[in-house]
């Protein structure tokens, strides 16, 4: 399943550095593409299943591999398939860029007991449009344009950018609620979710000021349809982008609840009493975010050619860790001693990057970097 696989792939890369399973999964999903351009939701499978939104997450997974993996040429070979997926969704875009009437199961997340969420599909407008689906397409277009640009296909970028501009304008016109300061799930503006508003932040449709307000509501507004343990992967990235990353450890109540119930792996859904699976790796995003958000280690270029380190330590005063990198490993150590931070950051040979501390950028060189701040 590609929705699951995208998260599992980054866990593999962050925890082992071995990209063979990641490349195998991307190959299998690419092989599953149908003549119309869309992939299957899972492959190989005796029973074909279509979840078109998972084709968008396939593009996201390929984009992740382009950033964290070592084989950039592998990504280049997959671009024709990405274009086919975008073409598939383009055939369901209306004149304003919004999509509707896409066949099959347009799954976003398991949401129970919230208005008009049915079988994992978010609320639809009376005319068939949906904010959460438009946002997922917008994000797919954005990362596709980024891949094309970074892999030297600049001639195609302008076409994608035109689609991005049109859909961004349409989304704001259709779904932004000026009174609630939130994006609605549909044009009637009667339902709101963490999903739609997380994607509004991640696609930067929300302005910097709006992100702060939305971020606060994502945490405090209990009327929003909640992200499950799976979609919290995107919710937590959005909250971090909105400036709340120092609170990361306070967002893990669902994982603590799983542990308190005796689970050693995570349930498929947030309601563990009703979950059909007690071992669903799509809920394992802390295995990524302890390193990417808490310790702040992230890629800042194709093939992890550049590194960005921006920790979100909250109340932590002493912590260290390391992750594998295609050319070695990245290690960080943060110690608060005598009212001063002693920070040690180690990068592989030939790799440089940026360290961001309290909004200020510091250059990083290969090897050891130390700071007293």
């Amino acid at each position: 399943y590609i929705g699951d696989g995208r998260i599992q792939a980054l866990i593999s890369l962050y925890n082992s550095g071995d990209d063979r399973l990641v490349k195998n999964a991307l190959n299998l999903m690419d092989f599953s593409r149908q003549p119309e351009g869309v992939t299957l939701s899972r492959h190989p499978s005796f029973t074909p299943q279509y979840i078109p939104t998972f084709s968008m997450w396939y593009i996201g997974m390929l984009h992740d591999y382009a950033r964290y993996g070592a084989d950039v040429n592998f990504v280049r070979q997959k671009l024709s398939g990405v274009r086919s997926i975008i073409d598939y969704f383009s055939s369901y875009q209306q004149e304003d860029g919004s999509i509707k009437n896409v066949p099959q199961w347009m799954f976003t997340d398991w949401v129970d007991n919230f208005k008009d969420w049915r079988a994992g599909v978010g609320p639809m407008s009376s005319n068939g449009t949906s904010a959460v689906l438009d946002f997922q397409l917008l994000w797919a277009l954005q990362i596709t344009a980024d891949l094309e640009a970074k892999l030297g296909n600049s001639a195609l970028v302008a076409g994608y950018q035109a689609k991005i501009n049109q859909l961004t304008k349409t989304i704001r016109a259709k779904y932004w609620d000026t009174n609630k300061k939130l994006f609605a799930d549909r044009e009637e503006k009667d339902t709101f979710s963490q999903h739609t508003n997380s994607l509004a932040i991640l696609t930067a449709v929300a302005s910097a000021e709006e992100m702060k307000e939305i971020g606060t509501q994502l945490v405090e507004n209990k009327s929003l349809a909640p992200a499950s343990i799976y979609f919290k992967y995107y919710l937590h990235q959005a909250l971090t982008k909105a400036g709340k990353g120092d609170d990361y450890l306070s967002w893990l109540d669902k994982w603590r609840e799983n542990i308190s119930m005796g689970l050693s792996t995570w349930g498929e859904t947030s309601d563990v009493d009703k979950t059909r699976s007690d071992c669903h790796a799509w809920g394992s995003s802390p295995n990524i975010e302890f390193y990417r958000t808490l310790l702040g280690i992230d890629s800042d270029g194709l093939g992890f050619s550049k590194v960005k380190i921006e920790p979100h330590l909250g109340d932590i005063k002493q912590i260290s860790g390391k992750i594998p990198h295609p050319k070695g490993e990245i290690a960080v150590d943060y110690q608060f001693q005598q009212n001063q931070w002693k920070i040690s950051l180690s990068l592989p040979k030939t790799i440089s990057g940026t360290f961001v501390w309290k909004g200020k950028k510091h250059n990083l060189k290969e090897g050891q970097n130390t700071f007293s701040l």
Side-chain angles (χ1 to χ4, degrees):
Y1 282 94
I2 199 67
D4 313 43
R6 182 185 186 191
I7 297 169
Q8 295 160 8
L10 270 186
I11 294 169
S12 292
L13 290 175
Y14 259 92
N15 287 264
S16 76
D18 190 332
D19 69 358
R20 288 174 295 176
L21 283 174
V22 180
K23 292 172 77 172
N24 182 63
L26 286 165
N27 277 330
L28 290 173
M29 295 314 300
D30 190 33
F31 297 159
S32 82
R33 261 186 306 111
Q34 302 299 290
E36 298 85 357
V38 71
T39 69
L40 298 178
S41 66
R42 61 193 183 199
H43 188 71
S45 172
F46 179 77
T47 305
Q49 184 193 61
Y50 294 86
I51 303 178
T53 47
F54 277 16
S55 289
M56 297 191 238
W57 295 141
Y58 164 80
I59 300 174
M61 183 174 169
L62 185 67
H63 187 261
D64 291 341
Y65 182 79
R67 296 180 65 226
Y68 297 95
D71 190 350
V72 175
N73 192 53
F74 172 82
V75 179
R76 186 175 285 109
Q77 294 168 357
K78 293 282 183 282
L79 281 180
S80 62
V82 169
R83 295 170 196 143
S84 296
I85 294 170
I86 295 298
D87 286 345
Y88 173 81
F89 285 102
S90 295
S91 68
Y92 293 98
Q93 284 187 277
Q94 310 307 298
E95 288 187 7
D96 63 2
S98 187
I99 56 172
K100 67 178 183 179
N101 300 326
V102 181
Q104 306 295 341
W105 186 18
M106 295 297 282
F107 176 88
T108 292
D109 189 23
W110 293 121
V111 177
D112 295 324
N113 303 319
F114 271 80
K115 184 176 181 179
D116 291 342
W117 279 84
R118 297 188 177 95
V121 180
M124 297 285 183
S125 309
S126 59
N127 65 4
T129 62
S130 161
V132 75
L133 298 181
D134 282 345
F135 269 119
Q136 287 176 77
L137 176 59
L138 177 61
W139 199 4
L141 287 166
Q142 289 174 339
I143 59 180
T144 298
D146 185 61
L147 282 174
E148 297 282 16
K150 288 179 177 173
L151 291 170
N153 302 315
S154 56
L156 298 174
V157 175
Y160 287 120
Q161 193 59 52
K163 283 179 170 288
I164 290 166
N165 293 342
Q166 180 195 40
L167 189 50
T168 299
K169 182 179 179 181
T170 293
I171 285 171
R172 287 203 66 94
K174 284 179 181 286
Y175 308 116
W176 175 247
D177 188 311
T178 55
N179 294 320
K180 293 184 181 293
K181 305 297 183 185
L182 290 167
F183 287 87
D185 293 332
R186 56 188 176 191
E187 293 183 50
E188 288 81 358
K189 299 182 181 177
D190 60 342
T191 67
F192 299 82
S193 67
Q194 289 185 329
H195 309 76
T196 291
N197 287 283
S198 294
L199 293 171
I201 292 172
L202 293 173
T203 56
V205 172
S207 68
E209 196 60 36
E210 289 166 351
M211 285 184 193
K212 295 178 183 178
E213 168 65 25
I214 292 171
T216 297
Q217 293 206 52
L218 285 172
V219 175
E220 298 178 359
N221 188 341
K222 303 307 179 185
S223 70
L224 302 181
S228 79
I229 194 170
Y230 153 61
F231 209 88
K232 286 181 187 292
Y233 171 74
Y234 300 101
L235 170 64
H236 293 170
Q237 288 181 76
L239 288 170
T240 300
K241 188 173 179 178
K244 296 184 177 296
D246 281 333
D247 299 329
Y248 178 74
L249 291 178
S250 70
W251 305 333
L252 303 182
D253 287 352
K254 187 52 59 180
W255 287 267
R256 296 185 180 100
E257 179 185 311
N258 275 212
I259 292 170
S260 71
M261 296 181 72
L263 297 180
S264 58
T265 54
W266 315 117
E268 178 181 5
T269 61
S270 289
D271 189 346
V272 180
D273 289 332
K274 298 178 181 178
T275 187
R276 61 180 180 168
S277 165
D278 289 344
C279 183
H280 232 70
W282 74 354
S284 298
S285 57
N287 287 51
I288 306 162
E289 304 307 344
F290 284 158
Y291 298 96
R292 182 166 64 181
T293 298
L294 206 63
L295 297 180
I297 307 170
D298 205 357
S299 171
D300 201 25
L302 278 180
F304 228 149
S305 56
K306 295 281 186 180
V307 172
K308 180 182 178 183
I309 299 178
E310 184 175 6
H312 299 88
L313 302 179
D315 295 328
I316 295 172
K317 302 299 182 185
Q318 179 178 343
I319 192 170
S320 63
K322 60 186 178 181
I323 70 163
H325 180 278
K327 292 190 175 181
E329 69 177 24
I330 301 169
V332 301
D333 185 271
Y334 307 101
Q335 307 274 346
F336 189 69
Q337 301 172 349
Q338 299 177 336
N339 295 318
Q340 190 177 52
W341 281 98
K342 302 291 186 181
I343 299 169
S344 176
L345 311 173
S346 178
L347 305 188
K349 288 183 178 180
T350 75
I351 300 298
S352 60
T354 305
F355 173 51
V356 182
W357 183 261
K358 299 186 186 304
K360 185 177 180 181
K361 295 181 179 181
H362 307 266
N363 292 328
L364 296 174
K365 64 181 189 306
E366 65 175 49
Q368 202 70 23
N369 299 261
T370 57
F371 301 90
S372 295
L373 301 167

